[in-house]
Amino acid sequence: MKVALINHSDIDGGAARATYRIHHALRRHDVDSTMMVNSAAAGDWTVRGPTTKWEKVVVNVRRPLGGLLNKMLHTGNPVLHSPAIFSSRWPARLNALNADLLHIHWITGEMLSISDVGELKKPLVWTLHDMWAFCGAEHYTEDFRWREGYLPSNRPNYESGFDLNRWTWQRKRKNWKQPLHIVTPSRWLADCVRQSALMREWPVSVIPNAIDTDAWQPVDKTIARQMLHLPPAAPLLLFGAMGGAKDPRKGFDLLKSALDHLRGQMPGLELVVFGQLAPETSVDLGFPVHYAGHLHDDLSLRLLYAAADVMVVPSRQEAFGQTASEAHACGTPVIAFDTCGLPDIVTHKKTGWLAKVFDTEDLAGGIQWILSDDIRHSKLRANARADAVFKFSYRTVAEQYLTLYEKIIRS
């Protein structure tokens, strides 16, 4: 079977890394998979990106030009907005490709326009990595226009100016006449698809993001801490996100509140933060903090997960929660809120702790519960690793996609 996976980048960003792993999971299980991207950074011969200087110039120009339209929208929602307005050569290339099936992923950043998606003719699967496909231009939102339809009457009061989200959503409704088969990495995102005004009649399957559990394995904690120059004996609580504490969706403020509940109750506890460098003005979290900066290679991330006693993922919104699955693969328990994609990864009191939604006192209680008993902690580590292999290994995920591909090609 020949399959083409289409994503804006191969390894730059969470969606790209998830797509790249699915691509190699398929290749390892006898699928002739090729990844088609606008930005190729891995140096992988199985990934096809722009080759000529002109193609690279066009890619670099399209994205900021599309972003100019965003300036007409005034919004309190700080997440990325993608109008996807410029048609490209991708539909002609992909329709002519020698492939049995096209598998699109994160195709915004002006890679494919909304009309481009409607012009794809081959059997098609679309894996979502955020909410953009059934929303307006926003990639995440806490309002519910996506359920009701983007009407003038339900525009949120934190928006003004040109209604970019309504205009984008109307273009999707106009151009996407035939339902596509949607895949989501979590039950929460699948439920959103089923509730959306745009896609509620579309078929949807849940297949988690993959991780190579043969490579992502536990590392001896003592060795990991020595290599990362972390304290050898202190209980270490790990937090990490792209941009660290800057993205409100990642919930660093909620973690800070939870740590306030623990002041004076957990002597020796120290925090490790990755995804950002140490800030110019230090934040008093009540405990010593080690900033690991931006880690771009899998080996450094593996060592960091293995060095930690527990990872906390206090996110408000996560389509999946890739850092949580990576931590589990390395045998590290995870503490998170019982919301969005994280319950698909963390099993309460088996592989970690699921706190009541945005209840920071309960989040603090989970930290205490995991770190207060060495025997319990050891069992959680073993369970986390076993769960990751069972649910997210390359074989598990590739087999689920193969079954779906065959079904779609037959139909």
Side-chain angles (χ1 to χ4, degrees), residues 280-335:
E280 182 179 1
T281 304
S282 61
V283 180
D284 179 18
L285 297 175
F287 301 91
V289 184
H290 307 269
Y291 289 94
H294 302 277
L295 303 178
H296 300 289
D297 65 286
D298 289 353
L299 179 57
S300 297
L301 281 167
R302 277 183 59 207
L303 289 172
L304 194 58
Y305 289 127
D309 292 291
V310 62
M311 179 164 188
V312 60
V313 184
S315 298
R316 289 179 168 87
Q317 285 182 320
E318 287 284 357
F320 180 61
Q322 201 150 263
T323 56
S325 66
E326 290 171 349
H328 272 9
C330 296
T332 303
V334 173
I335 298 167

Side-chain angles (χ1 to χ4, degrees), residues 87-343:
S87 296
S88 71
R89 297 181 179 179
W90 277 112
R93 288 181 62 190
L94 295 172
N95 289 333
L97 201 64
N98 181 20
D100 299 303
L101 180 140
L102 303 178
H103 186 171
I104 60 177
H105 289 260
W106 200 89
I107 44 81
T108 48
E110 293 300 333
M111 182 183 188
L112 272 73
S113 70
I114 288 170
S115 61
D116 284 346
V117 174
E119 293 174 14
L120 299 175
K121 304 302 182 185
K122 288 182 176 290
L124 190 64
V125 174
W126 189 350
T127 291
L128 308 188
H129 297 278
D130 54 33
M131 300 173 72
W132 180 82
F134 53 84
C135 285
E138 70 271 50
H139 284 252
Y140 282 98
T141 180
E142 293 184 358
D143 71 57
F144 295 104
R145 295 180 92 188
W146 55 273
R147 286 184 185 173
E148 303 161 359
Y150 283 69
L151 310 172
S153 60
N154 64 7
R155 192 178 193 191
N157 56 16
Y158 58 76
E159 283 190 6
S160 62
F162 176 56
D163 195 345
L164 178 65
N165 291 319
R166 172 172 160 79
W167 181 68
T168 303
W169 184 83
Q170 287 177 320
R171 288 164 48 234
K172 292 175 182 178
R173 187 173 61 169
K174 175 184 175 182
N175 285 279
W176 299 347
K177 299 295 186 182
Q178 297 298 323
L180 309 178
H181 197 108
I182 300 297
V183 174
T184 67
S186 66
R187 293 169 294 171
W188 167 76
L189 195 57
D191 287 342
C192 290
V193 172
R194 296 183 186 106
Q195 295 169 25
S196 70
L198 186 66
M199 294 183 171
R200 60 171 55 112
E201 302 299 329
W202 293 24
V204 58
S205 302
V206 178
I207 302 177
N209 290 340
I211 186 165
D212 184 358
T213 51
D214 293 335
W216 288 75
Q217 293 195 25
V219 178
D220 181 83
K221 185 189 297 185
T222 301
I223 295 173
R225 293 190 179 191
Q226 286 176 347
M227 295 183 70
L228 296 173
H229 306 289
L230 291 170
L236 291 183
L237 177 67
L238 180 64
F239 167 81
M242 294 286 286
K246 296 179 182 178
D247 186 347
R249 286 191 310 109
K250 300 300 181 181
F252 187 77
D253 59 316
L254 299 174
L255 172 59
K256 185 176 182 299
S257 176
L259 292 173
D260 286 341
H261 292 298
L262 295 176
R263 287 177 186 258
Q265 297 186 44
M266 296 198 68
L269 180 67
E270 299 188 19
L271 183 65
V272 182
V273 176
F274 71 95
Q276 74 170 73
L277 297 170
E280 182 179 1
T281 304
S282 61
V283 180
D284 179 18
L285 297 175
F287 301 91
V289 184
H290 307 269
Y291 289 94
H294 302 277
L295 303 178
H296 300 289
D297 65 286
D298 289 353
L299 179 57
S300 297
L301 281 167
R302 277 183 59 207
L303 289 172
L304 194 58
Y305 289 127
D309 292 291
V310 62
M311 179 164 188
V312 60
V313 184
S315 298
R316 289 179 168 87
Q317 285 182 320
E318 287 284 357
F320 180 61
Q322 201 150 263
T323 56
S325 66
E326 290 171 349
H328 272 9
C330 296
T332 303
V334 173
I335 298 167
F337 292 115
D338 189 6
T339 188
C340 298
L342 289 159

